[in-house]
Amino acid sequence: MRYRTPGTPGHFARTMVAFVIGTSVVTVAGLAGAGAADAAATAVARATAGVAVSTAPAGRSAVALRTVVVGSAAALIAAVAVARPGDRIEMGAGAYSLAVPLKINASGTVVAPIVIAAAVGAKPEIRGNGTLEVNGSYVTIDGLTFTNADTVRITSTATHAKVTGNYFHLAQAAQNWLQVAGDDAEIARNQFVGKSTAGVFLQVIGGAASAMAQRVLVHHNYFADHSFSGSNGGEAIRVGVSARQHVVSATIIEDNLLERVNGDQEAISVKSSGNVIRRNTIRDSKGTITLRHGAENLVEGNLLLGGTTGIRVFGNDQTVINNVVQDSTRNRLIEVGGGDVRDDRANADDHDAADRVLIAFNTVVTSSKTSTALDIGDPDDHMHPDAVTVADNILISGRRAADQDRGTNLAWVGNLGAGSIVGFTTGFRVADTRLSKDSGGVYRPTTGSAATGAAIGSWAVVSLDQDGQVRPVVKRSVGADEPSTDAATHIEPATRLSLGLA
């Protein structure tokens, strides 16, 4: 594309412009070959729009071949239009108002990504009815503030995108704030704060109607204050939709902090297959971790504290291990559900009864007089859970430790705690687990606990405990915590400080 040079209507620039790349000065003509005139015109347009091109200052990553400094929306648009591998587009402080989506179509490489980032000390803000849309591969968005009114998108043509260190507080007109449809994306150390309308903070989806983004990694993000008051559609994180429930995504949601996420009873909603939800902290929230659809998902080592949070399981071949659910007043803290269909093949939105599910080595504690620590089945469902194993969990409730309403081929093994039980006669023992809150406010067994060394099952999938410490081959401890002097990789609940946020 040619750019008209401001001040010379009807004429195109022919000026030669030099760029500094690495330690060499290269002219546009030299880079563009036969298209030197058009390339020179583009360079002049960038310069007159307020774009400065220079070598990266000392300390910058060696992969940033050019640093392009912009200070206005026009300059940003111009820089993106001619971006190439190794460009670092640095945005100065101020507002960048976009009327329509700014489509980032260029691609970087694994060693020379295209980076759009805040300049050092700056907090550039994307405003307006437009948004950023990443269509190219190896593109990084870093350190921006989004208050615009349209979903920020990583489309299905974009692979290896990174969205890091950004602050999202989109206008309420934006239904979903960040949508990821591209494979191998990384969403890290962002903040999503303050939503009161329907829609989600973060949605992982696919391109085609039957596709899901593959291998998305979501880690060390902060999600807070979702207050949508409707009955459905206000999740913090959603991986998939009902129509794609059987598609394996292999998305990992780990080490995130969610606080006061009350827009839906599902804080982390899984509607696809083969995903991992681990080591997340959900605090003071209505929302739960819900395996709403799909199969072969893993929920491991999460800390769910206070509020009315919990874990809900539907679908086939799900695994729920090493989680702590405590001080919640939800009526069923861990719920293994029935439904209106078994082995759904129509990709409908009915609840699919849970089949072949393992619930093991979790610690569930509530003093609520209206709560059940672990519940299987529901008398009102047409289909009931089948082949569910509940093993070596600590279950403590001020009302009911466990309730088996409906289900077939259910195995209760090695569970212990306090509270009444309904619907089964074996597999649970009332015992003094001697739990006490640690410095992070999480219940753990103390000296003399009946849980120590009392597990019955070996369960190879539970080789580690909630802290990442190795469990012994025999005489494992019941519940999420294995008392150990080994080095731990995950101990305390996540905080804004532990996420590196101010």
Side-chain angles (χ1 to χ4, degrees):
M1 177 182 293
R2 286 184 172 182
Y3 291 83
R4 294 186 184 275
T5 305
T8 54
H11 297 83
F12 291 98
R14 302 295 183 186
T15 306
M16 300 303 298
V17 178
F19 292 92
V20 182
I21 303 179
T23 57
S24 302
V25 178
V26 183
T27 65
V28 172
L31 292 173
D38 285 349
T42 298
V44 171
R46 290 177 62 174
T48 56
V51 180
V53 182
S54 66
T55 54
R60 292 281 185 212
S61 171
V63 298
L65 301 180
R66 299 188 303 179
T67 296
V68 182
V69 180
V70 301
S72 67
L76 174 64
I77 293 167
V80 166
V82 293
R84 64 191 189 194
D87 275 6
R88 180 182 176 88
I89 301 172
E90 287 199 348
M91 298 172 61
Y96 294 71
S97 186
L98 301 175
V100 296
L102 173 53
K103 298 184 178 183
I104 305 166
N105 296 323
S107 292
T109 69
V110 65
V111 296
I114 294 171
V115 178
I116 301 175
V120 175
K123 294 182 179 179
E125 179 181 345
I126 302 295
R127 293 183 179 178
N129 292 321
T131 189
L132 295 188
E133 180 181 296
V134 179
N135 298 312
S137 296
Y138 293 102
V139 174
T140 296
I141 308 297
D142 183 9
L144 310 185
T145 293
F146 291 92
T147 62
N148 53 300
D150 192 8
T151 302
V152 180
R153 300 181 185 89
I154 309 299
T155 71
S156 59
T157 63
T159 67
H160 300 92
K162 291 185 179 181
V163 180
T164 62
N166 302 284
Y167 185 89
F168 290 82
H169 182 67
L170 270 65
Q172 300 303 325
Q175 183 173 19
N176 301 323
W177 285 9
L178 175 60
Q179 179 174 289
V180 179
D183 295 347
D184 299 295
E186 180 180 0
I187 313 301
R189 304 188 186 282
N190 303 284
Q191 300 182 65
F192 300 80
V193 179
K195 184 169 176 56
S196 61
T197 54
V200 302
F201 285 140
L202 169 63
Q203 180 182 40
V204 180
I205 195 71
S210 60
M212 278 296 300
Q214 300 293 299
R215 299 172 300 279
V216 177
L217 177 59
V218 180
H219 67 95
H220 294 93
N221 300 282
Y222 181 59
F223 301 87
D225 300 311
H226 200 316
S227 59
F228 172 59
S229 59
S231 60
N232 188 38
E235 302 95 329
I237 304 172
R238 186 168 63 216
V239 185
V241 294
S242 300
R244 307 170 196 234
Q245 60 187 274
H246 297 300
V247 182
V248 173
S249 178
T251 286
I252 297 175
I253 311 290
E254 65 182 10
D255 299 312
N256 301 284
L257 172 59
L258 298 85
E259 294 186 308
R260 301 174 300 279
V261 284
N262 301 321
D264 195 288
Q265 71 167 324
E266 301 175 11
I268 301 177
S269 179
V270 178
K271 297 183 177 181
S272 54
S273 298
N275 304 292
V276 176
I277 313 299
R278 66 187 174 200
R279 301 193 306 267
N280 302 285
T281 298
I282 300 180
R283 188 188 293 278
D284 299 328
S285 296
K286 168 185 172 182
T288 63
I289 296 175
T290 297
L291 304 182
R292 179 61 176 83
H293 284 308
E296 298 184 353
N297 295 293
L298 171 64
V299 178
E300 179 177 14
N302 300 282
L303 302 177
L304 291 82
L305 312 174
T308 56
T309 188
I311 299 173
R312 303 168 67 231
V313 182
F314 301 91
N316 298 341
D317 303 293
Q318 317 281 30
T319 301
V320 179
I321 57 175
N322 286 336
N323 302 283
V324 176
V325 186
Q326 69 176 56
D327 300 331
S328 171
T329 58
R330 187 176 181 80
N331 59 349
R332 293 177 281 190
L333 274 63
I334 294 185
E335 173 187 354
V336 182
D340 299 315
V341 65
R342 184 176 303 283
D343 301 332
D344 172 81
R345 290 292 178 266
N347 291 326
D349 60 3
D350 293 326
H351 287 82
D352 189 349
D355 296 341
R356 299 179 304 279
V357 170
L358 175 64
I359 311 292
F361 291 92
N362 302 285
T363 298
V364 186
V365 184
T366 179
S367 60
S368 170
K369 302 299 183 182
T370 60
S371 298
T372 298
L374 192 150
D375 183 274
I376 295 182
D378 190 313
D380 297 329
D381 290 333
H382 296 114
M383 301 293 178
H384 306 301
D386 181 70
V388 177
T389 298
V390 180
D392 298 315
N393 302 283
I394 293 177
L395 305 173
I396 298 174
S397 173
R399 175 177 181 256
R400 187 172 294 161
D403 189 350
Q404 177 182 311
D405 286 319
R406 293 288 188 275
T408 54
N409 301 309
L410 308 181
W412 294 83
V413 180
N415 306 286
L416 54 82
S420 65
I421 59 173
V422 174
F424 60 98
T425 57
T426 62
F428 179 84
R429 177 167 58 95
V430 175
D432 185 1
T433 55
R434 298 194 181 185
L435 298 184
S436 179
K437 288 185 177 180
D438 64 10
S439 60
V442 176
Y443 279 115
R444 295 176 180 271
T446 58
T447 302
S449 171
T452 303
I456 293 176
S458 57
W459 315 114
V461 70
V462 198
S463 60
L464 306 176
D465 77 344
Q466 70 182 74
D467 302 320
Q469 295 171 314
V470 176
R471 290 187 184 266
V473 176
V474 296
K475 293 187 176 181
R476 295 179 176 179
S477 296
V478 177
D481 182 38
E482 185 72 54
S484 174
T485 58
D486 293 345
T489 59
H490 177 68
I491 302 177
E492 304 294 348
T495 64
R496 289 176 56 84
L497 182 61
S498 72
L499 294 177
L501 304 175

